[in-house]
Amino acid sequence: MSHGPEEIAIAVQRLHQGRLVAFPTETVYGLGADATSEVAIARVYSAKGRPSNNPLIVHVTDSTMAQRYADVWPRDAAVLARAFWPGSLSIIVPNGKNIPSLATGGGPNVALRSPAHPLTLALIKAFGKPLVGPSANRSGRVSPTLASHVSESFTAEDVFVLDGGPCAGGIESTVVDLTRPGPTILRPGLISAERIAAVLGKPVLVASAMPSTGESLPSPGLLESHYAPVAPAVLIDSNEIGAALADGSQSVVVLAWSERGKLAPGLVIRMPASAAEYAAMLYRALRDADATRPDLIAIENVPRGGDAADTAVWEAVRDRLMRATAPR
Ligand code: TXA
Ligand code: MG
């Protein structure tokens, strides 16, 4: 658990040695390594237990650094970076020569993002090169939103953790692909398709996260089961909360945001009713629920209504809940 100039110096030294440094962002913690070193990138895949065809996001300080690593930096990329960076938007463009294709899952394109956290921007600046950074969890599991979450999954010897406090956003960045005929969202996040379309002044497609069989995945990371707690998890309606808790045959933890959760006896983790606050707390709540070693985690379905901004955030939350509760 570390922060400050001395920690950045240690982190930079580790990165130069090709070793791993977990860094805070406004979304979730990333598992960082030198994005220009094949050896370092290989360590990330192996530490996470991640299939090497699932590409990594490359973190930069700003669009000037991004342009040094992209083969082409389209006008749309410049416009999006100006509007949303530093921030939770990953932009896919053709990869240049300096990021090994191991980081891109073997493919021709690279996802670039400038994270909105001062500690991590200072780290990348001091290192002078971009960092690959998948979420700092074991592959398929719940992403970390606290430094202690990272320390639970990796030893201090393997991963040096820069502690930047709790992640404010709480769910992973929106991923937009600019290498297709039209801009396409591959992963929903807190920056909505509507905002991206408004800034670009053109329509934005949203790739179906779960294509029918036979079709190839738009992004290998969009596998159905993901962000999964250890205990089996299911979605329930608000009026099923009482029954879920009354089931004496198994121990159940309920994540509830509505008034119904207040009335329910037993183990309920109260979730915020505001979309942004719910998103910020979701992964921590799933991890806290898991820590009680329940037989089941029952998650109350989230609202569909609200204003446009809320609707988009609930949409991104719902995407994570679908994956957390998908059959494994
Ligand atoms: O908020 C975030 O994006 C966090 C923080 C640490 O920046 N990172 C993160 O990385 O969520 P990860 O590896 O857990 O998820 C990256 C997603 C995956 O779904 C991956 O398949 C997709 O982005 N992706 C990365 N590069 C890609 C590429 N070149 N083409 C298509 N999809 C890509
Ligand atoms: Mg991840």
Side-chain angles (χ1 to χ4, degrees), residues 158-176:
D158 286 340
V159 179
F160 181 75
V161 183
L162 273 180
D163 187 349
C167 301
I171 59 177
E172 301 82 353
S173 63
T174 305
V175 178
V176 63

Side-chain angles (χ1 to χ4, degrees), residues 48 50 134-135 137 143 172 187 226-227:
K48 266 189 77 93
R50 175 160 171 151
S135 50
N137 51 279
S143 299
E172 301 82 353
R187 180 174 70 184
H226 213 117
Y227 318 111

Side-chain angles (χ1 to χ4, degrees), residues 27 50 54-55 57 59 109 111 113 134-135 172-173 187 219 221:
T27 61
R50 175 160 171 151
N54 187 356
I57 292 170
H59 296 74
N109 304 321
R113 160 165 130 82
S135 50
E172 301 82 353
S173 63
R187 180 174 70 184
S219 170

Side-chain angles (χ1 to χ4, degrees), residues 6 12 34 41 45 74 92 101 103 132 141 151 221 224 239 263 325:
E6 317 79 50
V12 166
D34 181 351
I41 298 164
Y45 282 106
I92 299 182
S101 66
V132 288
R141 308 249 69 109
S151 314
E224 215 168 291
N239 60 15
L263 305 173
T325 58

Side-chain angles (χ1 to χ4, degrees), residues 11-87:
V12 166
Q13 190 182 18
R14 288 242 186 165
L15 291 171
H16 280 301
Q17 294 165 344
R19 297 168 73 192
L20 309 183
V21 172
F23 57 81
T25 81
E26 80 286 25
T27 61
V28 302
Y29 275 79
L31 189 60
D34 181 351
T36 67
S37 158
E38 202 153 302
V39 174
I41 298 164
R43 286 207 179 109
V44 172
Y45 282 106
S46 89
K48 266 189 77 93
R50 175 160 171 151
S52 60
N53 67 345
N54 187 356
L56 308 177
I57 292 170
V58 172
H59 296 74
V60 294
T61 48
D62 54 19
S63 62
T64 305
M65 186 185 255
Q67 284 171 69
R68 289 211 291 274
Y69 293 90
D71 188 34
V72 221
W73 190 243
R75 189 179 164 275
D76 284 355
V79 170
L80 290 176
R82 193 173 315 122
F84 298 114
W85 280 6

